[in-house]
Amino acid sequence: MALDPAEPHLRRVERDALIPKIMREKARERCSEQVQDFTKCCKDSGILVVVRCQKENSALKECLTAYYNDPAFHEECKMEYLKERKEFRKTGIPTKKRLRKLPTSM
């Protein structure tokens, strides 16, 4: 049975693991300021991270949770995944390898 590249049906692993992975990556990009603040606090605090970085951790968690609970964001990530999957099924080449640049000097 050949797979139709445009088939919108999602397998369980795609729905429960791959799309949430894209959501995490994109949410971290969009919450980059909070990620940087929390990272800086962690580096500066050493072993007292739990006590000293509560404010930064709460801000980061709030930002990420807002994206995770946004149905429009989920749909955007799902469509991005379906687009990548469709391209993979047509070419047989994963997106990351397709986007990798060739060396300029030989």
Side-chain angles (χ1 to χ4, degrees), residues 34-52:
Q34 289 86 349
V35 171
Q36 288 174 354
D37 291 346
F38 182 68
T39 302
K40 183 181 183 312
C41 181
C42 289
K43 287 179 181 176
D44 294 344
S45 299
I47 198 164
L48 299 173
V49 166
V50 175
V51 177
R52 292 187 181 166

Side-chain angles (χ1 to χ4, degrees), residues 51-99:
V51 177
R52 292 187 181 166
C53 299
Q54 288 179 352
K55 183 181 86 171
E56 290 84 353
N57 186 30
S58 294
L60 176 58
K61 193 184 302 183
E62 186 178 309
C63 181
L64 293 173
T65 303
Y67 281 111
Y68 296 156
N69 293 330
D70 182 7
F73 181 68
H74 181 271
E75 191 63 25
E76 174 187 331
C77 293
K78 176 181 164 185
M79 296 311 292
E80 179 181 320
Y81 175 76
L82 288 172
K83 181 180 170 191
E84 288 177 9
R85 184 181 75 176
K86 178 181 177 182
E87 193 63 30
F88 173 75
R89 287 181 175 176
K90 280 178 21 184
T91 64
I93 303 170
T95 303
K96 290 181 181 173
K97 287 187 180 178
R98 241 183 305 116
L99 298 177

